[in-house]
Amino acid sequence: MPIRQLPEQLANQIAAGEVVERPASVVKELVENALDAGADRIHIEVERGGTRLLRVRDNGVGMDPEDAPRALAPHATSKIADPGDLVRIATLGFRGEALPSIASVSRLSLTTRRTEHDEGVKVIGGEGGSEAKPAAHPAGTTVEVRDLFHNTPARRKFLRTEKTEFGHILDAVRRAALGAMDVAFTLVHNERTHLQLPAVESWDDAERRVGRLLGEGFADNALHLRQDSEDGLRLSGWVVRPTAARGQRDQQFFFVNGRAVRDRLLSHAVAEAYRDVLFNNRFPGYVLFLGLDSAEVDVNVHPTKHEVRFSEGRRVHAFVRHTVEQALGADTPAAAAPVPAREGVAVPDQKSATENGPSPPPSGPSASNGGGIAPGSWAKQGNLGLREAPAAYEALYGAAWEGRPAAPPADGHAPAGAEPIKGEAGGEVPPLGHALAQVHGAFILAQTPTGVVLVDQHAAHERITYERLKRTFHEGGVERQALLVPVPVALSERQLVLLEEEADTLVRLGLRVEASGPRNAAVREAPAMLVEADLAALVGRALDALDQYGSQRPVTEAVNEVLAEMGCHGSVRVNRRLSREEMDGLLRQLEATERAGQCNHGRPTYVALSMADLDGFFLRGQ
């Protein structure tokens, strides 16, 4: 079969197969063109899920009458001029193939006018070429796409229902609106307005837009983070608390230099930051913006530009993971609790977690193992490090401590007529309040300045103990133990190369591994607490992670799993009777502990109920 040059129309239709998957793909491309044109208002009209009509109107810079017809020509663009520009792409579009590809599978018209011109121009695309004529139009550009896939019925039959296709359009606009906060967006479907978002002018406006697009559940549980590195990386945005994680990944948005991406390296970095605090099969929500020099990221690696490649992926991965970890770790009860206003006392601003910085680590004796306890029994355990001197409380909380109820009698029941805790006595009530009672030997009930909290005593103490063990282990370094019998490891050629390159890294992790053949190695030293682990599998996972992400996480995870098991068995058990001082000691330590909202297994450690919640339960004020 002879080789022939394809007609331009057929070539554009083939290109459309990559660029134009469905109506939402058209909306994405046209909105990106509007943003590249500097628009701060974008109006999108849709009919029948985008199959009958897609119209995108913006107030950007517009085009000259001479340039407008060229916009529909293949590979015509104003965004790059020579190969050197591909190294520093600063716009969302750059290939010059979106408009001709869309025009090849639809009836497309483009009307535009520059601000300095009195008259605009309208260009109508067609199989025989484009036709231009003068037209009245406000400054900016309107692109109208009708009858999408009218000439490619094979593509049209793969479209879903009108509702489904509009759902994809809504997702595309939502993603664009999250990435371009300073732009106003309007979305109309079948003459009904579905989105009307004003441009963001303040941080409060940005949080309102996030809440509008992702739901109040996201906004109420979002932690704001912002971090700049000394080597030019910038990360900002929101991550949700682990307790608000979802069963699907539908609220994960990452933007690199303003471009929405679905990048495995970035997703992995965020997942690693959450690894210690998520329950099984739950996924965190986030809206994150990564900024870096455009020369350090290649966006020309995917037909739809959803994926990127970093020149220093390890550095980016480590920066993102560390920043998100820091934000989650700083979300202690003390950092999150509102400060009640009192007469004559100024209320400090409630800043973001990373702006306030992580809370100081808790201090005090480590917990001892109390052993297992039969359900329903009141067994005695050793000193759990929870009892704190009343004098220390009085010095810290002033008159608020003096006004708290007395410790319960030996039988564990509060005396009749006991006065409730009062925070108005002149001192501040701690964020998790003071203990009122122990419920069924498993939960601590405490009164806070805004309501009450119910704390799972085992889960809370488990997190406290785990964080203390981690800190002690990592501050003291990795204790290595020589193996009497070296453990053989089968490695690929690539892994053997990495073994030589990353030998120092492995030693810092406590692993001394030496090559012993063309495809073999031997583990001669390992972390003391991991000598019983599957060291061959651990070395393989560590080398793979170092290769792909520059991450030391497999070894760290194995160490943390051991520490988590130790923390679990060393924590206060259900049916362990706690005195009032021990309950308050547990609450104070939890307030100062990183990732205090979840235990080592991702379960919540406490639940807070405000007075409004309590009033609602009993229909008060209704």
Side-chain angles (χ1 to χ4, degrees), residues 16-17 19-26 46-54 105-106 145-166 168-169:
V19 177
V20 186
E21 179 184 357
R22 60 191 342 139
S25 308
V26 176
V46 181
E47 291 182 10
R48 289 192 178 179
T51 57
R52 172 183 282 184
L53 171 68
L54 290 166
V105 293
S106 68
V145 177
R146 292 185 177 273
D147 301 327
L148 186 63
F149 299 138
H150 73 97
N151 55 353
T152 53
R155 297 291 305 280
R156 192 179 185 95
K157 74 177 183 180
F158 283 101
L159 294 179
R160 304 302 181 186
T161 64
E162 176 180 324
K163 181 179 179 180
T164 299
E165 293 301 333
F166 178 69
H168 287 290
I169 292 173

Side-chain angles (χ1 to χ4, degrees), residues 321-340:
R321 176 180 56 78
H322 176 73
T323 302
V324 176
E325 275 184 344
Q326 193 176 35
L328 296 174
D331 184 39
T332 63
V339 180

Side-chain angles (χ1 to χ4, degrees), residues 206-458:
E207 292 186 334
R208 276 192 289 270
R209 175 174 284 199
V210 170
R212 173 78 185 281
L213 294 173
L214 300 183
E216 294 305 321
F218 184 101
D220 292 343
N221 291 282
L223 303 172
H224 170 226
L225 59 84
R226 182 170 54 211
Q227 183 71 40
D228 295 352
S229 73
E230 296 180 354
D231 52 0
L233 298 178
R234 304 173 302 281
L235 187 69
S236 62
W238 298 267
V239 294
V240 301
R241 292 183 173 91
T243 48
R246 298 165 63 84
Q248 52 190 351
R249 295 183 174 90
D250 61 331
Q251 291 192 345
Q252 298 185 347
F253 299 89
F254 219 118
F255 300 87
V256 177
N257 289 344
R259 181 188 307 280
V261 299
R262 300 188 186 98
D263 186 79
R264 286 178 294 176
L265 182 140
L266 297 175
S267 300
H268 184 270
V270 177
E272 290 290 283
Y274 274 91
R275 184 177 295 277
D276 225 12
V277 291
L278 277 186
F279 197 60
N280 292 337
N281 299 318
R282 305 295 291 178
F283 304 99
Y286 52 82
V287 178
L288 292 172
F289 303 88
L290 176 66
L292 72 168
D293 190 332
S294 57
E296 296 183 30
V297 56
D298 184 1
V299 301
N300 191 27
V301 297
H302 191 273
T304 58
K305 295 165 286 194
H306 281 153
E307 297 179 7
V308 294
R309 183 181 294 124
F310 298 99
S311 60
E312 296 184 60
R314 291 188 177 189
R315 179 169 64 96
V316 173
H317 184 279
F319 173 71
V320 171
R321 176 180 56 78
H322 176 73
T323 302
V324 176
E325 275 184 344
Q326 193 176 35
L328 296 174
D331 184 39
T332 63
V339 180
R342 296 197 310 273
E343 186 175 353
V345 178
V347 179
D349 293 336
Q350 301 293 311
K351 295 185 179 180
S352 68
T354 53
E355 291 171 333
N356 285 333
S359 300
S363 59
S366 61
S368 61
N369 191 348
I373 302 173
S377 67
W378 286 105
K380 292 184 178 180
Q381 293 184 359
N383 176 20
L384 296 170
L386 303 179
R387 188 182 299 275
E388 298 184 14
Y393 279 129
E394 186 174 351
L396 183 59
Y397 297 112
W401 171 255
E402 296 177 1
R404 67 185 287 280
D411 62 3
H413 297 286
E419 290 295 323
I421 300 171
K422 295 181 180 180
E424 294 81 6
E428 289 185 4
V429 176
L432 292 180
H434 295 300
L436 292 175
Q438 188 178 21
V439 182
H440 290 293
F443 304 100
I444 298 171
L445 178 66
Q447 180 172 308
T448 69
T450 58
V452 296
V453 294
L454 197 61
V455 180
D456 183 329
Q457 65 189 39
H458 175 72

Side-chain angles (χ1 to χ4, degrees), residues 485-567:
V485 179
V487 176
V489 186
L491 300 175
S492 66
E493 292 182 3
R494 173 60 182 162
Q495 287 175 321
L496 282 169
V497 172
L498 284 167
L499 179 62
E500 183 178 350
E501 294 176 350
E502 303 288 352
D504 292 341
T505 301
L506 292 174
V507 169
R508 287 198 301 271
L509 294 172
L511 289 167
R512 186 165 70 87
V513 188
E514 298 176 355
S516 59
R519 292 289 185 92
N520 301 97
V523 183
R524 301 191 178 277
E525 292 183 2
M529 64 169 53
L530 297 179
V531 291
E532 300 298 328
D534 185 348
L535 295 176
L538 182 61
V539 169
R541 286 169 47 217
L543 289 172
D544 289 341
L546 288 169
D547 184 27
Q548 190 168 6
Y549 307 110
S551 173
Q552 305 169 6
R553 299 295 286 189
V555 178
T556 305
E557 287 168 19
V559 170
N560 286 346
E561 284 178 9
V562 176
L563 295 178
E565 193 69 20
M566 294 168 60

